[in-house]
């Protein structure tokens, strides 16, 4: 299955790469911060068509068209373009994110970094890879020596779940905090040890499904802000190399 997921992520990525920098339609979703482009929709359609042909009885959950329920223990969780704001403004940091669950467990995930042409992938129990090369989280055990990454939801102006206080706290403690604009890529950079940790207050299932497995298979951990296990519907996400996890939990107490 992992090869199929990579194949379809690659096809979707090609559509996105083709559209990058061109004229495309943009619509607002909940507000002027929250965009969807015609390329998000085209990418999603290509992914859906592929799954419908190859795995016709599998359930699907996507960002742009919601739930497609069939009778299966498999669920595909799809973000056809993670980093839409970057894409729409010409910043080449965005990805296709596809996770597959069997019952309640994430069993496979692919994040395709479109402009760098890197396929991050993981299957449960088999490690995590970047273009077929094994990756692992960083070794650092001091938050003060770490570089962290975060993101903000589209309703950030309302300061949901103390987003700004948490940002201030961890920014003071870490060596640096970055904000890339693609949660799927944030997870992958934790998985390959570029960043030591990632947190965000309001993620959605399609932002995190594939990334969570990739971090875990690279030796990291993904919990809520208190260290509790999460499922794909949990909105508070804390991913790290394990070694600084408790320090990040303490930093998020505001
Ligand atoms: C967004 C990105 C961003 C994160 C937002 C997400 P989208 O996804 O992952 O990094 O901060 O919370 O909604 O809308 O570009 O698919
Ligand atoms: Ca997303
Ligand atoms: Ca998206």
């Amino acid at each position: 299955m992992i090869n199929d997921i990579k194949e379809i992520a690659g096809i979707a990525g090609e559509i996105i790469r083709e559209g990058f920098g061109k004229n495309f339609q943009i619509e607002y979703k909940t507000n002027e911060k929250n965009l969807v482009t015609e390329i998000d929709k085209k990418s999603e359609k290509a992914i859906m068509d592929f799954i419908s042909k190859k795995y016709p009885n599998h359930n699907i959950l996507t960002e742009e068209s919601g739930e497609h329920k069939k009778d299966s223990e498999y669920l595909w969780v799809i973000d056809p373009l993670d980093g839409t704001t970057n894409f729409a403004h010409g910043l080449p940091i965005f990805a296709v994110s596809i996770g597959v669950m069997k019952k309640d467990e994430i069993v496979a995930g692919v994040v395709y970094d479109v402009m760098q042409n890197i396929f991050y992938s993981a299957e449960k129990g088999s490690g995590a890879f970047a273009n077929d090369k094994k990756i692992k989280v960083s070794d650092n055990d001091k938050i003060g020596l770490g570089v962290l990454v975060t993101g903000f939801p589209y309703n950030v102006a309302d300061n949901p779940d103390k987003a700004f206080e948490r940002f201030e706290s961890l920014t003071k403690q870490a060596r640096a905090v970055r904000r890339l604009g693609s949660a799927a890529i944030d997870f992958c950079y934790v998985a390959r040890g570029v960043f030591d940790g990632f947190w965000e207050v309001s993620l959605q299932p399609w932002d995190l499904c594939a990334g969570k497995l990739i971090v875990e298979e690279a030796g990291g951990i993904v919990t809520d802000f208190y260290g509790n296990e999460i499922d794909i519907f949990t909105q508070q996400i804390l991913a790290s190399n394990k070694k600084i996890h408790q320090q990040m939990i303490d930093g998020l107490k505001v």
Side-chain angles (χ1 to χ4, degrees):
M1 191 182 257
I2 196 77
N3 288 331
D4 284 339
I5 310 175
K6 279 191 199 165
E7 184 181 340
I8 183 53
I11 292 169
E14 189 61 47
I15 293 171
I16 296 169
R17 211 166 23 241
E18 268 287 296
F20 186 55
K22 310 257 167 69
N23 280 331
F24 42 76
Q25 253 180 14
I26 301 180
E27 288 164 48
Y28 300 147
K29 300 214 274 191
T30 47
N31 60 32
E32 282 182 354
K33 288 188 200 287
N34 194 354
L35 312 176
V36 59
T37 74
E38 64 176 288
I39 306 297
D40 296 70
K41 293 179 186 170
K42 274 190 190 156
S43 168
E44 180 161 313
K45 185 169 182 317
I47 298 170
M48 296 279 300
D49 288 350
F50 185 98
I51 299 169
S52 311
K53 272 194 204 118
K54 192 118 197 218
Y55 301 95
N57 67 333
H58 284 189
N59 298 308
I60 304 175
L61 172 66
T62 77
E63 176 168 16
E64 307 307 339
S65 62
E67 243 185 314
H68 303 260
K69 272 201 130 195
K70 305 272 174 61
D71 186 22
S72 165
E73 53 186 9
Y74 285 95
L75 171 68
W76 293 62
V77 185
I78 295 159
D79 193 333
L81 202 180
D82 184 59
T84 296
T85 308
N86 288 349
F87 176 80
H89 287 260
L91 181 66
I93 303 175
F94 39 79
V96 178
S97 173
I98 304 178
V100 177
M101 302 186 66
K102 188 176 180 191
K103 293 189 176 152
D104 290 335
E105 194 177 55
I106 307 168
V107 292
V110 171
V111 170
Y112 179 44
D113 179 332
V114 175
M115 299 309 280
Q116 297 207 73
N117 195 22
I118 301 174
F119 288 88
Y120 294 94
S121 63
E123 283 175 285
K124 183 84 192 167
S126 304
F129 298 85
N131 283 349
D132 300 326
K133 222 176 132 200
K134 214 167 167 70
I135 51 173
K136 64 180 197 61
V137 294
S138 72
D139 244 359
N140 170 37
D141 63 1
K142 291 188 187 65
I143 192 170
L145 304 182
V147 179
L148 310 179
V149 66
T150 189
F152 295 103
Y154 294 112
N155 64 340
V156 63
D158 302 331
N159 195 19
D161 201 1
K162 299 188 186 162
F164 291 126
E165 289 85 344
R166 297 187 200 278
F167 179 71
E168 182 179 351
S169 171
L170 284 180
T171 301
K172 284 177 177 164
Q173 292 178 47
R175 173 173 284 165
V177 174
R178 299 290 181 248
R179 197 280 194 246
L180 300 185
S182 163
I185 291 180
D186 296 336
F187 279 111
C188 294
Y189 279 171
V190 173
R192 63 188 285 186
V194 173
F195 297 134
D196 304 275
F198 164 48
W199 85 98
E200 186 158 347
V201 298
S202 290
L203 283 186
Q204 300 296 322
W206 41 84
D207 298 317
L208 68 96
C209 186
K212 177 177 187 286
L213 182 66
I214 293 168
V215 168
E216 289 169 348
E217 288 296 323
I221 184 172
V222 184
T223 69
D224 69 8
F225 293 168
Y226 304 94
N228 301 310
E229 266 187 40
I230 58 153
D231 61 36
I232 59 164
F233 297 101
T234 308
Q235 295 202 322
Q236 283 187 341
I237 294 300
L238 171 58
S240 81
N241 67 357
K242 263 188 198 156
K243 295 193 168 160
I244 63 158
H245 209 71
Q246 188 57 47
Q247 294 164 61
M248 287 190 73
I249 290 172
D250 294 341
L252 286 166
K253 284 184 193 136
V254 291

